[in-house]
Amino acid sequence: MGNGESGVWGCAGAEVRGKGLEEIIYFFNNGLQNSSSGLYPFPLIPLLPCSQLNLQPSPPPPPLSVPPHARLKPYDAPMMPDPFIRADEVLHEKWDSRALELELEHGNGGLLGLVSRVGSAGPFRTLSPWELEDPQSHRTLNASGYSALPFGDNYPPLLEFVRSYLEKNRQIGLPQQSVTPWRAALETNLIRLLAQFAPSHADSRVFFSNSGTEAVEGAIKFAKAARPRAKHLIHFSKAYHGKTLLSLSLTPNPSLQRGFEPWLIPTVTLPFGDLEQFKSTLKKLGPDNVVCVLLEPIQGEAGVVIPPPGFLRGVGELCQKYGIPSIADEIQSGLGRTGHWFESLAQGWEPDIICLAKPLGGGLTAVGATLMRDAIFKKLLGKTNDVKRHSNTFGGNSLAMAIGLKSLEILREQNLPERSERLGKLGLERLLKMKERHPELLAEVRGAGMLMAMVFRPVIGTKWLPIGGQIVGELTGLLAQRAFYQGGVQLNFTLNVAKALRVTPAMNMPEELFEELLLKLEHTIERTRTAGRLLTGTSRAELLSLAEYVLKNG
Ligand SMILES: Cc1ncc(COP(=O)(O)O)c(C=O)c1O
C-alpha cells in the first residue's frame, strides 16, 4: 500500500500513517469474506410423537458436534458438578483471576470479549466508591455505570443501611403476598415528589418492576389498556427504551431490531425535536388511533441529545388536547442526573406516565418504577377481577424497596440534583473548550448536568473502504474508550451512536475527584489531539484484534 493513504482517508487521513495501517486496510478489504460464523446446531426434542400431533414428521436433527460420552449423564450422577464453585471461595477472591475465562466460556463472551479488548474487563477492586483498581493495579476514576450508579460503588451510608435492614428479619414482602411498609413508603415518597412539581399527580400510583425495560413495557401496557381500540405507538428517532420485544420495537436502531419484526403493536418513528411533523402525523393517523406517545426528555443512548426548546412542552400539550397518554422515559435522565428530579417537568411537559429505574436502585440493585395517573392505572388494575392482569414476582419486594427508599433519601438529603447541575455545568464548559482546541478529535460535546457526551471524529474515512460508517463508528468508540481507560478514566459506550462516549460520574463524587476526572479527560484529549492518532497510538496486534471484533460483531 506504500504511501497511498494520503488523499484516501477522510478527516483523520493526515494522521493515519505507520504501523498497523496496512494490515487494517487489508483486514477491512478481506476480513469480511474471511470471517466465518459457525452456528451451533440446536436439535429439537419432540415431547409427543408427531403422529399424535397430526404434523409432518420433522427431519432428523443434525448430528451434535460433541462426542457421545459428553452428552447427557445418567440421572444418578451427582447433583453438583465437580468441582462446584462455592460462594465463600468467590467471597475470598479465589476465582478472581479466572472470572474472565469462565465468563467468556459460559456467559456473554462476545460482550466481555469486547470489554477485555479495551483492557477494562476487570474484575475491579473499589478503592473508594468512585475509584477502581484493575488486576494490573491500574487505578481509574469511574465515570461509567450507565447512569445507574448515583453514589458510586459500595457507598458506605447505603451499605450500612442495608446491613441494618437485613438484621430486621422481615418477610421478603412480595406484592402478591403481603403489604410491606418499605413499598408503601417508597410509593408515597415517589408520588409526593412528583406532585410537588406536578400537583395533578397527587393521587397517582406506582407499579414496580425489576428493570428499565420492564418499566417501559408496563407503561405501554397500561396505556394500551386505557385505549384498547387505538393501534399505533408513536416514538422518536435514535430513542432507546430497552431490549425486551415491546421496548425494542420502540428503540429504532436497525442493528438491535434486525430480525425481530413484525412488532406486536405497529410503531411510528418521528424525528426527535420536530414538533410540526408530530402535529401533522397526529392529524394523519387520527388522534384516536394513537395508543400513546413515548419519549426520553433527553436521549441518553443517542449521545445526550437535548431537544429544541418548546418541543417537549408542545408534545405534551397536543397529547393533552387529544387525550393521548404521553409517557416520559426518565430512566436515564430522571432523579437528578440532568440537574432536575424530572427533566420532563423542568422542560414544561407534564407526562401522564413516567418510567424510572437506574438510580432508584442506588447502584446496588435493580428497581424499576412506572408512575401514572390514577385513571390510567385503574384501566388495567382497577376492578377486583382484574387485579392480577399485570404483575411480576419480585418487583416491589422489600429489599429492593428499602434500597430504593434509602437511595431517594440520600439523593434528597445531599441535594444531588442541584449538585449534578452545578458540577455538570463546570464539566461541560471544560469539555467544550477541549472541543474548540481539538476539533479534529472531538466533533461534538453535549451535556445536561452529570450526563455528558463526547462525539468523536471517525478514526478513518470510509470513502474507499468496503465498510459502512457504523463499523468505523464502532472502532472509533472502542479506541477512544481504550485511550481514556489508559488515561485513568472509565467512560460509557453509547448504544445508538457508537462513536460517542458518555461521562456519567457518581452524582456525589467528591469535588477533588471530579476535578481530577476533568484533568484526566483533558490530558487524554491533549495527548490524542486527532482521531487518527487513536489508530496510530495503538499497537498493531491490539488494532487487529479490535478490527476483527468490530467486523464480526459490528
Ligand atoms: C432511557 C432508557 N430507557 C430504558 C432503558 C432500559 O433499561 P434497562 O437496561 O434497565 O432495561 C435504558 C437503559 O439504558 C435507558 O437509558
Side-chain angles (χ1 to χ4, degrees), residues 205-502:
R205 290 175 183 273
V206 189
F207 184 89
F208 286 111
S209 51
N210 304 287
S211 64
T213 193
E214 202 188 335
V216 172
E217 295 262 340
I220 304 295
K221 202 169 154 189
F222 278 98
K224 179 70 178 148
R227 292 166 71 80
R229 277 189 292 278
K231 286 192 185 68
H232 302 284
L233 302 175
I234 294 188
H235 67 133
F236 291 85
S237 52
K238 293 271 191 305
Y240 185 85
H241 299 293
K243 288 183 191 149
T244 49
L245 272 178
L246 186 52
S247 303
L248 180 63
S249 72
L250 298 158
T251 295
N253 175 338
S255 71
L256 301 179
Q257 291 186 329
R258 193 175 46 232
F260 293 110
E261 299 102 334
W263 307 122
L264 205 55
I265 307 176
T267 60
V268 178
T269 315
L270 299 179
F272 187 62
D274 188 339
L275 190 58
E276 282 312 307
Q277 186 144 351
F278 176 67
K279 223 184 265 180
S280 62
T281 305
L282 277 189
K283 219 179 255 172
K284 205 162 78 195
L285 293 172
D288 288 349
N289 285 322
V290 177
V291 178
C292 60
V293 177
L294 169 68
L295 61 165
E296 298 154 88
I298 291 178
Q299 294 186 319
E301 295 297 334
V304 190
V305 175
I306 300 165
F311 172 68
L312 296 174
R313 182 191 292 272
V315 167
E317 284 171 0
L318 281 167
C319 286
Q320 199 175 21
K321 176 173 166 191
Y322 294 116
I324 302 169
S326 66
I327 306 174
D329 179 343
E330 295 257 20
I331 287 165
Q332 192 153 164
S333 59
L335 299 182
R337 179 157 294 277
T338 59
H340 306 285
W341 285 103
F342 300 97
E343 183 62 34
S344 48
L345 297 174
Q347 300 305 324
W349 164 31
E350 189 174 319
D352 301 297
I353 305 180
I354 296 181
C355 303
L356 298 173
K358 294 181 184 266
L360 194 51
L364 211 55
T365 191
V367 181
T370 310
L371 284 55
M372 74 202 90
R373 297 198 188 281
D374 182 58
I376 296 177
F377 187 93
K378 285 188 174 146
K379 291 283 181 188
L380 182 57
L381 297 177
K383 301 191 198 100
T384 320
N385 288 345
D386 284 352
V387 292
K388 293 182 187 164
R389 280 181 83 202
H390 190 58
S391 70
N392 53 33
T393 305
F394 250 74
N397 74 78
S398 295
L399 176 59
M401 296 297 96
I403 293 173
L405 187 66
K406 188 67 186 176
S407 301
L408 204 58
E409 182 181 302
I410 297 171
L411 285 165
R412 182 172 171 273
E413 289 191 347
Q414 298 186 9
N415 207 0
L416 292 185
E418 186 274 331
R419 189 172 193 276
S420 189
E421 182 169 40
R422 182 169 54 83
L423 292 187
K425 202 163 159 228
L426 193 79
L428 184 63
E429 275 166 17
R430 300 262 292 262
L431 289 179
L432 282 168
K433 276 199 191 120
M434 283 289 113
K435 178 188 164 275
E436 264 168 43
R437 276 172 66 85
H438 298 295
E440 287 178 43
L441 175 65
L442 291 170
E444 270 193 72
V445 163
R446 297 188 283 257
M450 278 188 166
L451 181 62
M452 295 169 264
M454 297 181 279
V455 186
F456 298 92
R457 300 254 179 226
V459 287
I460 42 176
T462 54
K463 200 169 167 195
W464 304 103
L465 289 173
I467 51 171
Q470 170 71 18
I471 285 178
V472 173
E474 296 272 350
L475 187 62
T476 304
L478 282 171
L479 288 167
Q481 176 87 338
R482 192 175 163 282
F484 283 101
Y485 182 76
Q486 288 174 346
V489 180
Q490 296 223 34
L491 299 175
N492 306 264
F493 290 115
T494 299
L495 261 169
N496 288 343
V497 180
K499 58 179 193 279
L501 295 180
R502 274 165 302 156

Side-chain angles (χ1 to χ4, degrees), residues 69-141:
H69 67 268
R71 293 188 199 166
L72 286 179
K73 287 203 171 175
Y75 273 166
D76 59 1
M79 289 300 285
M80 294 292 182
D82 193 21
F84 183 74
I85 301 174
R86 298 188 59 79
D88 273 351
E89 294 170 357
V90 180
L91 187 67
H92 295 111
E93 298 169 19
K94 211 179 139 202
W95 289 84
D96 274 17
S97 60
R98 294 207 40 209
L100 179 60
E101 172 197 334
L102 292 173
E103 284 237 64
L104 289 176
E105 195 176 340
H106 299 299
N108 186 347
L111 181 62
L112 286 161
L114 164 81
V115 181
S116 72
R117 279 171 166 90
V118 170
S120 59
F124 291 95
R125 263 174 9 99
T126 54
L127 300 174
S128 78
W130 312 279
E131 301 159 281
L132 302 171
E133 188 181 74
D134 73 11
Q136 285 72 45
S137 303
H138 176 56
R139 171 181 171 270
T140 47
L141 292 175

